Amino acid sequence: MIQCLIIGGGPAGYTAAIYLARAGVNAVLVEGPQPGGQLTTTTIVENFPGFPDGVDGNRLVNDMRRQAIGMGATVRTATVNSLDLSARPFVATLGDGESITADTVIIATGAQARYLGLDDEKRYAGLGVSACATCDGFFYRRKTVAVVGGGDTACEEAHYLSNLASKVYMIVRKDHLRASDAMQRRVAERNNIEILYNCNAVGLYGDGGVEGAHVVRHLGSPEQEQFDLPIDGFFLAIGHTPATAFLAGQLDLDEAGYIVTAPHSTATSVNGVFAAGDVANAAYRQAIAAAGDGCRAALDVLALLAR
Ligand code: NDP
């Protein structure tokens, strides 16, 4: 029986582990088989305070992990197959069948950006393909980029990129945007954003990095036509999937599957269970925000344990 089980090996989970272990709480963090989360898919992180020269994403998250272990947290590499939240203490069952019984739980399992599923997305990962304009947009100053998607995220990313890149294309599969009117207006105000409606990206090309996208207009219809779009960066903005499936409906989720937390708190719908980072927050999606959330969750756990 431990005092706190933290599920998720990203900035939120490691930060929660640092705070709890430092406070003398018996905390175990279970990180998935590929720890580190989304930071491991980026290159240099230039917007995490304290690193004026930037820091490699893998190094940053690995240092958080080392710091948590150094403070005395136990870090286990395993998958949490199921979690029984029906009564406190809670019971987690790991992939190898072992159980962990915990008085409190912090869920920090994150969210994954959706990709189109093209082989080229993997081939050019870190070489012009990104799912985060705030993270990687800086590398495309005065260049040409494309954003795939027509929702609020795509509009927000295109708007952000339009401040940096000289030209931004939006590749939208329908003949209209799904985004809110306000977001659509922000995009329309930018002269350097061009929306390519009824278009699907079907591949990428380039020697050692993205130099363009193969795009099909009116895919699957008699008017179907393919063309090449020269670009330097290819940004996916077709939604994220929060890692909440293993919760099997035991916590309140919003319609997109994110964990609902109480206002100004990381408390979930089950007393003793807290949520931090991207799994509970679709709006910010930044390492520093997730780390801040991990701190808040740890402080919420400490307050509960002190009662
Ligand atoms: P959405 O699900 O709202 O939009 C996804 C977009 O990607 C849609 O245009 C969709 O097309 C397109 N898409 C999905 N799959 C594919 C595919 N395989 N190929 C091509 N296009 C595809 O996701 P968002 O991330 O934009 O938003 C998630 C939630 O977060 C929403 O509720 C949104 O309102 C909210 N949000 C709010 C913000 C704000 O208010 N500031 C900012 C960002 C997000 P189609 O329309 O054809 O289905």
Side-chain angles (χ1 to χ4, degrees):
M1 166 90 173
I2 57 167
Q3 287 176 290
C4 186
L5 170 66
I6 303 160
I7 307 173
Y14 294 133
T15 304
I18 291 166
Y19 271 77
L20 289 175
R22 193 161 181 272
V25 169
N26 178 5
V28 173
L29 182 148
V30 177
E31 57 183 13
Q34 287 169 318
Q38 295 176 67
L39 273 183
T40 61
T41 62
T42 185
T43 48
I44 298 293
V45 179
E46 295 184 320
N47 51 10
F48 201 97
F51 297 93
D53 301 319
V55 57
D56 176 81
N58 276 289
R59 207 202 103 192
L60 176 63
V61 75
N62 198 40
D63 281 352
M64 293 180 192
R65 183 179 190 273
R66 284 204 304 126
Q67 195 171 348
I69 293 169
M71 289 292 168
T74 301
V75 174
R76 300 269 313 266
T77 305
T79 304
V80 174
N81 276 2
S82 63
L83 187 60
D84 183 354
L85 301 178
S86 58
R88 201 170 153 206
F90 310 111
V91 182
T93 306
L94 307 186
D96 61 6
E98 194 198 327
S99 301
I100 296 179
T101 305
D103 195 19
T104 60
V105 176
I106 295 174
I107 298 167
T109 43
Q112 283 183 326
R114 283 192 212 128
Y115 286 79
L116 295 170
L118 307 173
D119 287 342
D120 287 341
E121 289 170 321
K122 290 187 199 121
R123 189 169 152 217
Y124 294 104
L127 297 170
V129 172
S130 170
C132 179
T134 324
C135 317
D136 298 327
F138 189 70
F139 302 114
Y140 298 94
R141 275 172 302 170
R142 292 182 286 281
K143 293 190 172 178
T144 301
V145 297
V147 177
V148 182
D152 280 329
T153 301
C155 288
E156 201 169 52
E157 304 266 272
H159 188 268
Y160 180 86
L161 288 165
S162 71
N163 291 321
L164 300 162
S166 52
K167 176 83 183 182
V168 180
Y169 292 102
M170 289 183 71
I171 302 176
V172 178
R173 66 180 173 182
K174 290 199 177 132
D175 64 358
H176 60 274
L177 296 173
R178 178 200 283 240
S180 59
D181 289 348
M183 280 298 192
Q184 295 199 31
R185 269 198 304 278
R186 288 179 72 188
V187 164
E189 281 162 9
R190 290 298 163 108
N191 294 329
N192 62 341
I193 301 180
E194 182 177 338
I195 305 179
L196 305 174
Y197 288 109
N198 300 305
C199 283
N200 281 273
V202 295
L204 299 167
Y205 60 88
D207 195 8
V210 170
E211 290 174 13
H214 302 300
V215 179
V216 175
R217 186 175 275 127
H218 298 298
L219 184 70
S221 83
E223 315 97 88
Q224 173 170 320
E225 50 161 339
Q226 178 157 343
F227 61 96
D228 286 345
L229 184 69
I231 50 169
D232 305 291
F234 184 74
F235 286 82
L236 283 308
I238 60 172
H240 283 72
T241 308
T244 49
F246 74 105
L247 295 169
Q250 298 174 94
L251 291 181
D252 286 355
L253 308 178
D254 68 13
E255 64 276 8
Y258 291 87
I259 298 175
V260 176
T261 51
H264 311 298
S265 166
T266 62
T268 69
S269 55
V270 172
N271 186 36
V273 181
F274 301 85
D278 287 16
V279 75
N281 200 329
Y284 296 106
R285 290 198 202 108
Q286 297 298 300
I288 187 70
D293 261 6
C295 162
R296 294 169 63 231
L299 297 181
D300 287 342
V301 164
L302 289 174
L304 185 75
L305 293 176
R307 262 189 236 148

